[in-house]
Every structure is written in C-alpha cells, then in structure tokens.
Amino acid sequence: MVQMTESGGGSALAGESLRLSCAASGFTDKHKVYAMGWFRQQPGKEREGVAVINANGSTTYGDSVKGRFTISRDNAKDTVDLQMNRLKPEDTAMYYCAAGPKGACLRPDYNVWGQGTQVTVSS
C-alpha cells in the first residue's frame, strides 16, 4: 500500500521559515515517475496547489508563494520537501503532500495523499 506522511508543520511568526517533509512508502517502479507536490487548504476554502515537481525536477509554483517557497525531491528516498521562507499569516493552512501520474500540475488531481500537517503563521 502506498502511503505519504508529512512532517515539519508547526507555528511561526511572519517572516520566519519552516520546512515541510513528506516521505512516501510502498512506492514501486511505476511510482518513481509520479509527480509530487504540496497543496494547502484553509477552512472553508478549496484545496490549492502550492508547489509541484516532476520526477525530472521541473517545478511549478503557485503565484502566492513564488520567490518564497522551494520544492525539492529525492527520487532515491521517495521524499519531497517544501522550504517555506518569509512566511505570511495568509500561509496558515493545512498542508498536504501528494503524488500522481498525470504530471506536475497545480490542480489537486493526484491519487495519493498524505494526512496533512498544520502550519500556523502569526503576525
């Protein structure tokens, strides 16, 4: 069974940094080419794409995080990380990692999801 487990969420002040990590387990060879990504969801809002990365390392970022967040992945370890710098209160959300075969897109069209980790940024 394929699972994804996030870690690294927590609280931060505006302007500070946090790093999220996600480890996939149960990946087979077919999963190695999956795109992986980070999404977030605030109460009452739809889940939005934050940053996504293909197996070849190409990336796409949501407009609200460009220049502040960096996504990376380790294909040997089946992990994907999100470095979040210059955090803002509006970054407060539940963050989810995901993997899927349809390429790195910011739509939440992925078929493997983690349980989420909360990020809270205060001013």
Side-chain angles (χ1 to χ4, degrees):
M1 183 175 69
V2 177
Q3 289 184 314
M4 302 187 76
T5 305
E6 303 95 338
S7 62
S11 298
L13 295 174
E16 293 185 339
S17 300
L18 284 174
R19 186 177 183 87
L20 304 182
S21 296
C22 177
S25 60
F27 264 24
T28 62
D29 285 346
K30 75 170 186 178
H31 298 103
K32 299 289 186 181
V33 298
Y34 275 21
M36 302 175 80
W38 287 93
F39 295 77
R40 66 187 183 188
Q41 190 166 21
Q42 299 168 333
K45 295 187 177 182
E46 294 186 352
R47 192 167 296 187
E48 67 166 333
V50 175
V52 293
I53 184 168
N54 276 317
N56 64 6
S58 61
T59 58
T60 302
Y61 293 91
D63 288 341
S64 63
V65 306
K66 284 180 182 177
R68 300 189 298 123
F69 290 10
T70 302
I71 189 171
S72 60
R73 69 186 281 171
D74 186 326
N75 291 333
K77 297 180 179 179
D78 296 332
T79 60
V80 58
D81 292 346
L82 184 69
Q83 177 66 41
M84 305 185 293
N85 298 330
R86 304 199 307 277
L87 284 162
K88 302 176 180 180
E90 51 264 44
D91 294 320
T92 296
M94 184 71 76
Y95 283 72
Y96 300 88
C97 66
K102 296 185 179 180
C105 68
L106 291 173
R107 297 186 309 276
D109 190 14
Y110 290 68
N111 58 355
V112 184
W113 291 88
Q115 293 298 306
T117 185
Q118 178 67 36
V119 171
T120 302
V121 183
S122 55
S123 57

